């Protein structure tokens, strides 16, 4: 999804337009996460950018996309650029031995 989304629409309250934009973003994440996973892939990951224009868009984490769009709307921006690209994600398992050495008192001898 690469879109320049207007935050103001004639005849509509800006808060309702903002809520519709947030809904569209959440719906896109849900739709992408529900796609079938290829072999060897554990989950869908996303590369996200948000900004006032495509040139000024900054990389943000998935959980901050909605917050960044909300912050842009509060500054009075008329539109916001949102880029969300899905990619394959593979879980990396941490070695248990290293964690035990770093925090020996967490397990308290159990």
């Amino acid at each position: 999804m690469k879109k320049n989304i207007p935050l103001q629409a004639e005849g509509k309250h800006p808060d309702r337009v903002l809520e519709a934009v947030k809904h569209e973003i959440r719906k896109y994440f849900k739709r992408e996460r529900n796609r079938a996973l290829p072999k060897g892939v554990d989950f869908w990951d996303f590369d996200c950018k948000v900004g006032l224009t495509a040139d000024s868009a900054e990389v943000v984490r998935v959980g901050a996309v909605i917050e960044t769009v909300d912050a842009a709307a509060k500054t009075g921006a008329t539109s916001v650029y949102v880029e969300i690209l899905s990619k394959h994600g593979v879980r990396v398992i941490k070695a248990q031995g290293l964690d035990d050495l770093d925090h020996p008192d967490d397990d308290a001898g159990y």
Side-chain angles (χ1 to χ4, degrees), residues 3 5 7 11 15 23-24 29 36 38 42-44 47 49 51 60 63 69 74 76 79 81 89 96 103 107-108:
K3 276 187 157 182
I5 304 171
L7 296 176
D15 291 342
H23 176 72
E24 181 180 351
F29 277 127
D42 294 323
F43 61 96
W44 288 109
D47 290 330
K49 289 184 180 181
V60 295
V69 170
K74 287 184 181 179
S79 66
Y81 176 78
Q96 290 294 328
H103 305 288
D107 292 333

Side-chain angles (χ1 to χ4, degrees), residues 1-5 25 28-29 46-66 68-69 72 80-86:
M1 164 195 247
K2 293 182 182 181
K3 276 187 157 182
N4 194 7
I5 304 171
I25 293 169
Y28 181 78
F29 277 127
F46 299 95
D47 290 330
C48 306
K49 289 184 180 181
V50 178
L52 297 179
T53 63
D55 297 331
S56 67
E58 296 180 4
V59 175
V60 295
R61 58 184 172 79
V62 174
V65 172
I66 298 293
T68 309
V69 170
V80 65
Y81 176 78
V82 177
E83 180 178 320
I84 303 170
L85 303 174
S86 60

Side-chain angles (χ1 to χ4, degrees), residues 29-41:
F29 277 127
K30 184 176 180 180
R31 183 175 44 235
E32 289 295 308
R33 285 186 179 126
N34 285 333
R35 287 189 353 203
L37 292 169
K39 284 192 175 220
V41 176

Side-chain angles (χ1 to χ4, degrees), residues 85-102:
L85 303 174
S86 60
K87 63 180 182 177
H88 301 155
V90 179
R91 297 201 191 286
V92 178
I93 300 172
K94 291 195 247 178
Q96 290 294 328
L98 296 176
D99 288 340
D100 293 339
L101 294 175
D102 292 340

